[in-house]
Each structure stands twice: as structure tokens, then as C-alpha cells.
Amino acid sequence: MRYLIFTFILFFPTLILASDLQSQLSAIYQAEQQGKAAEKAAAELARKQREDKRKAEENRRKAIARAEQQRKNKAAKLAATKREEQNLEKLLDKQRLQKKEDALFELELEERRLALEEKRARVKRTNDFIDAELKAENASTDVIQSKADAHRNLSKGIENKLTSEGKAAEEKEKGFF
């Protein structure tokens, strides 16, 4: 409507000067058509600007959404990597602990083996000590037996000597009477 009034004011002087009503009507119609065309062009321009603005806003939102998705993907990858590293570290810790426990078990097993060998050696030595004690006792018994034999032999020798001296004394005495 503004364009219509604006157009009318522009063309008013021509209307007054126009001699003919038909030419005046024709000028008004033409001015209206130009006004409508100008309104239509302005409306089309405004619609196009709105459409461009809407597309720009939509593109901006899509770009923000893509950036947000990329950020989330990056954060998810980072979290997954961190979890993987933590799991790997836990696995390595578990392996280290298992190796330690295995080493301690091997050490304990070796200590048990050594203790068993020591007991065996002690038992063997005990048997050796028992054998040595038995030999010592046998030797002591042999010494005692030898002393007893020596005493017996000595006693027999003394007895024989005394018997011989007694017989000799008897014969000496027999020879005097």
C-alpha cells in the first residue's frame, strides 16, 4: 500500500497534465503494477534473505552439532584409550604380582627341598652317629673284654705262679724230712 501511495505521488503531476482520462487511468494502472512488482520484488528479496538466514542458521547448527559430535567422539576415544591403558596397567600389575607370587612359591618350595635334604642328611648322620656310638661301645666292650681277659690271664698266671711256688715249697719241705 505504501508503494501505491508513493507511486501515486510520483505520478500525480503527470496525471494532472494528462489530457485524457484513459491515459491517466493507464498511468495509474502502470504505477500500481510497478508498485506491486516492487512490493513483490521486495517480498521476494525479504523471503530470500530469510531463507538465506535460515540456511545459514541451519548450517551453523549443523556445524556446531558436528563439532559437538567430534568433541564427543574424541572424548569417547580418549576415555576408551584411558580405560585401555588402565586395563593394560592392571594386567601388567597382575602379571608382576603373579611373577612375584610364583617366585615366592619357588623360593618356598626350594626352602622346603633344602629343609628335607637337611633332615635326610641329619638322619643319615644320625645313623652314622649311632653306628659310631655302636662301634665305640663295641670298642669299649672289646677293651673291657681285653682287660678282663688280661686280668684273667694275669690271675691265672699269678695262680699258676702261686701254685708252682706252693708245689715247689711243698717239695722243698718234703725234701727236708
Side-chain angles (χ1 to χ4, degrees):
M1 190 70 174
R2 286 182 284 172
Y3 293 111
L4 182 63
I5 295 173
F6 179 70
T7 313
F8 185 72
I9 292 175
L10 283 177
F11 291 107
F12 183 69
T14 43
L15 289 176
I16 296 175
L17 295 175
S19 59
D20 169 0
L21 182 62
Q22 182 67 22
S23 66
Q24 288 177 357
L25 286 177
S26 173
I28 290 174
Y29 178 74
Q30 194 175 19
E32 281 181 7
Q33 290 302 322
Q34 287 176 349
K36 285 181 183 179
E39 279 182 25
K40 189 175 181 181
E44 183 64 27
L45 181 63
R47 186 195 61 77
K48 187 168 173 52
Q49 286 176 343
R50 283 192 310 271
E51 182 67 24
D52 289 345
K53 189 175 180 181
R54 185 191 61 77
K55 284 183 181 178
E57 182 65 24
E58 186 177 323
N59 288 341
R60 186 184 69 78
R61 285 187 192 137
K62 285 181 182 178
I64 289 172
R66 274 194 307 272
E68 182 66 22
Q69 187 62 38
Q70 287 176 348
R71 186 191 64 74
K72 285 180 181 177
N73 290 345
K74 189 175 181 180
K77 283 182 184 178
L78 185 62
T81 303
K82 191 170 186 174
R83 276 193 308 274
E84 243 179 69
E85 287 175 359
Q86 288 173 345
N87 289 341
L88 181 61
E89 188 64 33
K90 285 180 183 177
L91 181 63
L92 290 174
D93 286 345
K94 186 177 180 180
Q95 287 176 346
R96 278 188 225 117
L97 183 61
Q98 186 64 42
K99 283 181 183 179
K100 237 184 220 179
E101 287 175 358
D102 289 347
L104 288 174
F105 179 73
E106 286 295 323
L107 185 61
E108 186 177 321
L109 195 59
E110 184 65 24
E111 286 176 357
R112 287 181 184 175
R113 262 190 235 123
L114 289 173
L116 184 60
E117 286 177 18
E118 183 181 344
K119 285 179 182 178
R120 283 183 185 154
R122 213 176 260 169
V123 166
K124 188 176 180 182
R125 277 189 265 141
T126 302
N127 288 341
D128 290 344
F129 287 137
I130 291 171
D131 289 344
E133 286 175 4
L134 288 176
K135 285 180 185 176
E137 284 179 18
N138 285 342
S140 175
T141 304
D142 288 345
V143 167
I144 292 171
Q145 186 67 39
S146 295
K147 284 182 181 180
D149 288 344
H151 285 288
R152 193 175 312 114
N153 288 339
L154 191 57
S155 297
K156 274 191 179 186
I158 293 174
E159 180 186 343
N160 286 340
K161 181 181 173 192
L162 288 177
T163 307
S164 295
E165 284 177 359
K167 280 185 185 179
E170 277 179 18
E171 282 185 24
K172 197 176 181 184
E173 292 236 357
K174 272 188 193 177
F176 287 123
F177 299 108

